């Protein structure tokens, strides 16, 4: 079991990063928010969860241990794979997921594109008693981009989740139409979450996706 990686960031892609560990490059899948904190050439530490399958060993990385814990618990739900668990963490912070699971709030999970009422109900049912709120929303410092630079980062994050650049750009514009405060702040993680929530509120919007998550 690999609990964390500490090394130099060698590469950051749309859905993965490569961490150089004394000459060995470790590829790690992560949420767009986690990837937004990583800069090539700088040192980083990622908490990790390893998925072992017959033909592969895959690492998933997280900014903090709470994200990893919630990810691992989400994987215990039947029908929820690592990509869908990452999508949940892309839309909601760990504490919000804990609160939703603890209170039986199905709607929180239906805000995640790709999760309908039936899957949300199963998540809440199977997570009952497994996730307890900490009573704090403390997370790693969010990425803040210059005012003119945040949109390409959010578009890149959404394309890594399966949207086309055109659909991603249009959805961001529509979602931000009523949220000028988010635009002015340029907080990549907050803008991404707000856009994904906007998309998740209407199942028809999710149909614009060009791919699917497992």
């Amino acid at each position: 079991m690999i609990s964390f990686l500490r090394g130099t960031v060698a590469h950051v892609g749309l859905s993965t990063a490569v961490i150089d560990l004394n000459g060995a490059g470790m590829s790690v899948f992560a949420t767009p928010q986690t990837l937004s904190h990583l800069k090539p050439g700088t040192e980083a530490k990622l908490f990790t969860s390893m998925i072992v399958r017959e033909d592969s060993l895959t690492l998933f990385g997280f900014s903090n241990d709470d994200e990893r814990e919630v990810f691992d618990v989400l994987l215990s739900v039947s029908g929820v794979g690592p990509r869908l668990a990452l999508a949940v963490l892309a839309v909601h912070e760990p504490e919000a997921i804990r609160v939703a699971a603890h209170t039986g709030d199905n709607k929180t999970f239906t805000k995640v594109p790709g999760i309908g009422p039936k899957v949300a109900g199963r998540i809440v049912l199977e997570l009952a008693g497994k996730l307890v709120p900490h009573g704090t929303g403390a997370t790693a410092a969010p990425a803040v981009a210059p005012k003119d630079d945040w949109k390409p980062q959010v578009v890149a994050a959404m394309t890594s989740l399966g949207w086309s650049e055109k659909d991603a750009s249009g959805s961001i514009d529509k979602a931000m139409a009523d949220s000028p405060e988010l635009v002015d702040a340029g907080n990549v993680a907050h803008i991404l979450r707000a856009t994904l929530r906007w998309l998740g509120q209407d199942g028809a919007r999710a149909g614009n996706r060009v791919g699917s998550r497992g």
Side-chain angles (χ1 to χ4, degrees):
M1 176 69 73
I2 300 176
S3 297
F4 69 86
L5 299 177
R6 186 196 299 273
T8 302
V9 179
H11 173 73
V12 180
L14 293 178
S15 60
T16 62
V18 176
I19 308 298
D20 184 342
L21 305 178
N22 297 319
M26 301 289 287
S27 181
V28 186
F29 286 87
T31 65
Q33 289 92 334
T34 296
L35 293 171
S36 72
H37 297 308
L38 305 179
K39 305 299 179 185
T42 64
E43 183 176 285
K45 177 181 179 180
L46 291 177
F47 294 87
T48 57
S49 179
M50 178 181 287
I51 305 298
V52 180
R53 292 177 175 168
E54 291 184 2
D55 58 349
S56 66
L57 296 174
T58 308
L59 280 175
F60 292 84
F62 308 92
S63 297
N64 56 62
D65 193 47
D66 194 30
E67 288 184 354
R68 177 179 62 183
E69 181 182 353
V70 170
F71 175 82
D72 287 340
V73 175
L74 282 169
L75 291 181
S76 70
V77 177
S78 58
V80 175
R83 292 185 183 276
L84 193 56
L86 277 184
V88 175
L89 283 164
V91 176
H92 300 297
E93 295 183 2
E95 185 68 3
I97 298 170
R98 290 178 176 277
V99 171
H102 186 67
T103 60
D105 181 8
N106 294 26
K107 291 184 178 180
T108 290
F109 294 102
T110 59
K111 291 178 181 179
V112 179
I115 295 182
K118 289 184 179 180
V119 175
R122 186 165 66 245
I123 291 174
V124 168
L125 179 64
E126 296 189 26
L127 290 185
K130 294 183 179 180
L131 288 177
V132 179
H134 292 322
T136 176
T139 60
V144 177
K147 186 173 181 179
D148 296 333
D149 294 344
W150 62 263
K151 189 172 181 179
Q153 294 184 41
V154 180
V155 170
M158 291 185 66
T159 55
S160 75
L161 292 173
W163 275 271
S164 68
E165 288 189 11
K166 180 180 178 180
D167 289 335
S169 180
S171 297
I172 294 167
D173 291 341
K174 292 176 182 177
M176 291 299 99
D178 298 323
S179 303
E181 71 284 357
L182 292 181
V183 174
D184 291 339
N187 187 304
V188 175
H190 289 176
I191 292 171
L192 174 62
R193 283 197 170 100
T195 302
L196 292 175
R197 289 192 188 107
W198 180 86
L199 282 162
Q201 289 174 3
D202 185 346
R205 295 172 185 162
N208 289 330
R209 297 198 49 193
V210 296
S212 60
R213 287 186 291 272

